[in-house]
Amino acid sequence: MQNVTLKVAGMSCNHCVNSVEGALKTIGATGKVDLASGMVHVEFDENKLTQDAIKEAIEDQGYDVN
């Protein structure tokens, strides 16, 4: 398993947290949002997912990944 921390812009409430964490779960990753810092800590199987796929899943929810 690999871990990555991403800066995500535009998250402001619990709905945002649920959207991002739910999108990650859908693609097979585990995400934990730190709303105060705007960071998302993601654990994923690098043999099944790429960081680009993770970023795309978050961006599809309407947020910007930096």
Side-chain angles (χ1 to χ4, degrees):
M1 295 298 258
Q2 184 172 338
N3 292 296
V4 65
T5 301
L6 303 170
K7 177 75 173 167
V8 179
M11 298 185 299
S12 61
C13 64
N14 283 333
H15 173 75
C16 300
V17 171
N18 292 336
S19 293
V20 171
E21 290 180 356
L24 293 170
K25 185 176 183 179
T26 298
I27 63 168
T30 302
K32 179 67 177 156
V33 173
D34 182 345
L35 195 58
S37 68
M39 304 298 278
V40 180
H41 308 286
V42 184
E43 183 177 321
F44 64 101
D45 183 344
E46 64 274 10
N47 296 315
K48 296 181 180 178
L49 288 174
T50 64
Q51 286 190 34
D52 287 338
I54 292 167
K55 290 178 183 179
E56 184 176 325
I58 295 170
E59 289 172 346
D60 284 350
Q61 297 301 309
Y63 305 101
D64 293 320
V65 180
N66 301 320

